[in-house]
Amino acid sequence: MEASNVYYTDFRCPVGTSLLEKLRRLCLAAGIRQLDMEGKFVAIKMHFGELGNLAFLRPNYAKVVADLCKEQGGMPFLTDCNTLYPGSRKNALEHLTCAQLNGFWPMTTGCQIIIADGLKGTDEAEVPVEGGEHVKTAKIGRAIMDADVFISLNHFKGHEATGFGGALKNIGMGCGSRAGKMEQHNSGKPTVDQEHCVGCTVCSKNCAHGAIAFDEAHKAGIDHAKCVGCGRCIGACNFDAVYAANDAANDELNCKMAEYAKAVVDGRPAFYINIVNQVSPYCDCHPENDAAIIPDVGMFASFDPIALDVACADACNAMPVIPGTLLDENLTRKGACNHHDHFTNTSPETNWKSCMEHGEKIGLGTQAYELIVMR
């Protein structure tokens, strides 16, 4: 397959320029005006950030994209789907409040916000997955599928289950309804290493399904009949007591995520943007964000989501490790194994390449890219 073009610009801004103007020029150079938006609904999929997290994209970036859409006659709206786990975005009312508290208003974004899977996360469209091996019909937030044009605007960061959160995660997992998210997660059910469990109960507070209970010794246990495999407890545990017992689970999650992404974008115009700054070790779904593991990289855009994600991963891996961060601690601890990949070194049980490989296999894009640098 021929290499895809990925456009890149750094965060340098000489006096008289701004990051917002650089993002606008990046999108134009990458070809966003090739999309026919005249009189059409344009879904701009992004993450509004969990309350307490400060690594999510500022609404200013969204306004640049929304304004470009309106210039082309489009009717843009920002969108995301409700979460599977407890937090500030598990239903549309809380989700909208969270977005507003984090600065996402029509005045700051230039467009309205719609929670795509409705009040309770049940408003979904069942979408066939052409070439799907794990998923035959994806459950996608209905408002996303009702749109004529799809744009992914994503904060590129680490992730404890998928390695990193790139365009494919923003689309595949992010556009899934609550049932769709459950379908993607449910192949891997975490287990507790009771020798490491201190009985702090943080894991149970992060379980939306009442699957975690404590025995007489105050050690956690997970009822797999109730567990949906969302992995929220893994990220919540500060003592490495909760882990994915199925070694293939994360790879299967990555494959399902790629298939969900394909269901979202198949058969309609789509464009993809990754902002690679504040590369926190874990997802913006956490109600906190640890220190960035590498310096800020830049902004990327493409018509190919796989080429885009691979280019971003390569750029991140070319960056130095910031001292004192989780990544630095993982590399310098006694007996550490250097995988020569920042994301695997941050979350050693992950393999982000399985998502890219499967996405390429099912025709979502190509891993081969030509990086076009803009100043």
Side-chain angles (χ1 to χ4, degrees):
M1 184 180 292
E2 185 178 351
S4 294
N5 290 337
V6 176
Y7 289 76
Y8 162 77
T9 189
D10 60 26
F11 284 118
R12 294 295 307 277
C13 285
V15 174
T17 63
S18 74
L19 285 179
L20 301 181
E21 178 57 30
K22 290 189 78 172
L23 175 58
R24 175 184 169 84
R25 288 192 280 114
L26 176 75
C27 291
L28 291 172
I32 195 170
R33 282 186 173 159
Q34 295 176 30
L35 301 175
D36 178 10
M37 301 187 195
E38 184 64 41
K40 296 181 178 179
F41 291 108
V42 183
I44 304 173
K45 167 63 180 74
M46 69 178 304
H47 194 304
F48 303 122
E50 192 74 18
L51 291 181
N53 189 299
L54 296 177
F56 61 89
L57 293 183
R58 295 185 180 189
N60 311 66
Y61 292 112
K63 188 173 189 302
V64 171
V65 180
D67 286 349
L68 280 168
C69 294
K70 290 189 290 187
E71 288 173 18
Q72 295 169 229
M75 296 178 285
F77 61 95
L78 301 185
T79 191
D80 197 2
C81 287
N82 293 305
T83 59
L84 191 60
Y85 51 81
S88 53
R89 298 177 300 120
K90 64 182 180 293
N91 63 61
L93 298 183
E94 293 181 4
H95 205 153
L96 286 170
T97 298
C98 173
Q100 291 163 356
L101 289 171
N102 282 340
F104 292 88
W105 294 77
M107 183 177 294
T108 59
T109 64
C111 65
Q112 294 290 345
I113 298 170
I114 298 174
I115 305 305
D117 59 344
L119 180 62
K120 298 181 179 180
T122 57
D123 188 10
E124 62 193 22
E126 295 203 15
V127 185
V129 181
E130 185 177 347
E133 297 177 8
H134 300 268
V135 178
K136 300 303 179 184
T137 305
K139 302 173 181 67
I140 308 298
R142 187 172 300 278
I144 288 170
M145 295 312 301
D146 281 347
D148 304 296
V149 179
F150 180 85
I151 295 175
S152 170
L153 175 60
N154 175 61
H155 173 224
F156 195 90
K157 65 279 180 189
H159 194 278
E160 58 273 29
T162 62
F164 61 67
L168 265 64
K169 186 175 188 302
N170 186 46
I171 304 165
M173 186 61 67
C175 292
S177 65
R178 296 193 82 187
K181 288 179 171 66
M182 187 180 299
E183 180 179 30
Q184 291 175 76
H185 275 295
N186 68 8
S187 63
K189 305 291 181 72
T191 297
V192 178
D193 181 345
Q194 295 197 339
E195 289 186 6
H196 289 87
C197 178
V198 300
C200 68
T201 75
V202 170
C203 58
S204 63
K205 292 174 182 176
N206 279 269
C207 179
H209 305 278
I212 301 177
F214 294 82
D215 61 19
E216 294 179 354
H218 304 291
K219 301 291 186 180
I222 299 175
D223 182 348
H224 284 181
K226 296 180 180 178
C227 174
V228 301
C230 71
R232 193 70 179 138
C233 54
I234 297 174
C237 181
N238 291 326
F239 303 95
D240 297 324
V242 189
Y243 65 98
N246 179 359
D247 290 340
N250 284 344
D251 282 344
E252 188 169 337
L253 167 62
N254 275 339
C255 291
K256 288 182 176 181
M257 201 165 65
E259 293 183 4
Y260 259 68
K262 190 168 190 288
V264 171
V265 303
D266 253 0
R268 61 173 164 172
F271 186 76
Y272 313 96
I273 306 159
N274 281 349
I275 310 292
V276 191
N277 68 343
Q278 287 189 270
V279 183
S280 49
Y282 299 138
C283 184
D284 293 345
C285 293
H286 281 256
E288 78 290 320
N289 57 281
D290 202 352
I293 58 176
I294 59 172
D296 290 350
V297 178
M299 300 182 283
F300 298 74
S302 180
F303 283 106
D304 185 328
I306 295 179
L308 178 68
D309 277 356
V310 173
C312 291
D314 288 348
C316 287
N317 281 323
M319 299 296 285
V321 177
I322 296 179
T325 62
L326 176 62
L327 175 56
D328 182 48
E329 291 175 0
N330 285 356
L331 286 169
T332 56
R333 68 176 47 164
K334 186 177 180 180
C337 174
N338 189 346
H339 299 274
H340 302 287
D341 182 280
H342 290 335
F343 301 106
T344 306
N345 284 332
T346 300
S347 298
E349 302 302 317
T350 65
N351 174 27
W352 60 265
K353 293 180 182 178
S354 62
C355 184
M356 304 300 113
E357 290 165 356
H358 191 67
E360 185 174 45
K361 179 181 177 182
I362 62 176
L364 184 55
T366 176
Q367 296 184 75
Y369 66 91
E370 179 180 350
L371 192 66
I372 301 171
V373 179
M374 298 179 54
R375 300 300 180 190

